[in-house]
Amino acid sequence: MMNRSFSLAQRTKTLASVSNSLPYLMVAMMTCVLALSGCQKSPEADATNNAQTTEANSVNAPVADSNNADSATDTTQQANLAPLTILALGDSLTEGLGVASDDNYPAQLQASLQQLGYKNIKVVNSGLSGETSTGLVNRLDWVAQTKPDITILTIGANDAIRGLDVATIEANIRTAVKTLQDNGSEVILGGMQIYDNLGNDYVKSFSAIYPRVAKDMNVPLIPFFLDGVGGDAKLNQADAIHPTKEGYTIIVNDNILPVLKPELEKMLLSIQANSLTPVEIPATETSQ
């Protein structure tokens, strides 16, 4: 009996000891579980971290380099040309008497320059029907307000029709060229010729004005503004003096542009040399 009682007492004591230790064992097990769970990432955490990483990579990616490359391409393909103003200065041959406003030579010249790639060039029509060289000199201060970079000066035909003194005509043309140059404009002089009904001496003296002035004043010369058009009934209006639309097209393409384009290229190169902004110079074909 004593052994059985002892055995029960001992068993009871052992159970009590285990019961007393159970809370500590539970705490230890929970601690291990929490520790293990802390070492694993939840799907939500992974998604959040991945999103943050992707966003960070997008922010830190070399986007600027890509933008710079695109910008450089745009600059190459769509380079802004230097804005230039060309003044077409003269009489009714410049104004375009008898043709639509889009058909005179200044309008056709601007359209041709646009097609050639000179996008920012404006051609101002300052032709005045009946204008003489004296009248043109008297309005130079007014036309100078356009601040032309280049002036195509074509004057003298009305003087010759009236038989005015050749020396006076030449003096007026020289004054016009110098005034325009002093105002910062490059001048291209359009040469003129007349019919010989005023006598051979007058015709020769008049025609000689233009190459002489061009040489003395160092300006480019269009040898004869109406070359290929003057005297051709198909290219002139009924008065046999003023060109048709088709006549002006020939004047622009064959007489003006071959002289004007080299001057434009030199001017754009000069602007480029003195500017931080690249200037695109349209490619031109070599004249034969």
Side-chain angles (χ1 to χ4, degrees):
M1 293 294 292
M2 290 180 60
N3 290 338
R4 185 175 180 182
S5 300
F6 177 79
S7 177
L8 289 171
Q10 187 177 28
R11 191 179 305 172
T12 300
K13 183 178 180 181
T14 300
L15 289 172
S17 177
V18 171
S19 298
N20 291 335
S21 300
L22 186 59
Y24 298 102
L25 290 173
M26 291 296 292
V27 171
M29 289 176 67
M30 289 297 294
T31 301
C32 291
V33 170
L34 290 174
L36 289 172
S37 64
C39 294
Q40 296 178 351
K41 295 181 180 179
S42 66
E44 292 81 0
D46 286 343
T48 302
N49 290 338
N50 288 338
Q52 292 175 345
T53 302
T54 302
E55 182 178 357
N57 289 338
S58 298
V59 172
N60 296 325
V63 175
D65 292 341
S66 176
N67 289 339
N68 287 339
D70 291 343
S71 178
T73 301
D74 290 342
T75 300
T76 301
Q77 294 177 347
Q78 301 176 355
N80 288 326
L81 300 177
L84 297 177
T85 299
I86 297 175
L87 177 65
L89 181 60
D91 49 35
S92 58
L93 294 174
T94 297
E95 182 185 35
L97 182 67
V99 298
S101 59
D102 291 339
D103 297 338
N104 56 51
Y105 104 69
Q108 291 200 46
L109 177 60
Q110 177 160 320
S112 295
L113 290 171
Q114 293 273 330
Q115 292 176 354
L116 290 170
Y118 297 94
K119 301 299 183 182
N120 289 345
I121 291 181
K122 180 180 180 181
V123 181
V124 177
N125 188 338
S126 188
L128 183 62
S129 292
E131 184 78 288
T132 64
S133 60
T134 299
L136 185 139
V137 167
N138 290 336
R139 67 183 178 101
L140 283 175
D141 289 341
W142 181 78
V143 299
Q145 296 177 29
T146 60
K147 300 185 182 302
D149 299 284
I150 296 176
T151 300
I152 302 174
L153 175 62
T154 308
I155 196 67
N158 288 319
D159 296 72
I161 290 173
R162 300 176 187 184
L164 299 180
D165 181 58
V166 172
T168 300
I169 300 171
E170 181 169 345
N172 285 336
I173 292 176
R174 287 179 181 271
T175 298
V177 171
K178 185 176 186 307
T179 301
L180 291 163
Q181 290 175 331
D182 289 346
N183 280 283
S185 180
E186 299 289 335
V187 178
I188 295 175
L189 184 60
M192 292 301 302
Q193 298 176 12
I194 57 170
Y195 300 115
D196 58 5
N197 58 330
L198 294 176
N200 191 49
D201 290 343
Y202 188 92
V203 170
K204 287 184 177 179
S205 296
F206 176 78
S207 299
I209 291 173
Y210 300 92
R212 183 166 54 245
V213 171
K215 180 180 179 181
D216 292 349
M217 305 192 75
N218 193 30
V219 297
L221 175 68
I222 300 170
F224 180 32
F225 181 78
L226 296 175
D227 189 31
V229 176
D232 189 332
K234 294 179 296 184
L235 298 174
N236 286 275
Q237 300 174 48
D239 61 10
I241 295 174
H242 296 94
T244 61
K245 172 185 176 180
E246 294 75 19
Y248 277 124
T249 300
I250 292 174
I251 290 171
V252 168
N253 293 334
D254 296 350
N255 302 343
I256 297 176
L257 284 175
V259 179
L260 174 62
K261 285 194 293 185
E263 298 306 309
L264 282 176
E265 291 168 12
K266 287 192 294 185
M267 185 167 289
L268 291 173
L269 285 172
S270 177
I271 293 172
Q272 187 177 48
N274 294 283
S275 174
L276 296 177
T277 303
V279 175
E280 180 184 336
I281 302 175
T284 57
E285 295 181 359
T286 303
S287 301
Q288 298 296 329

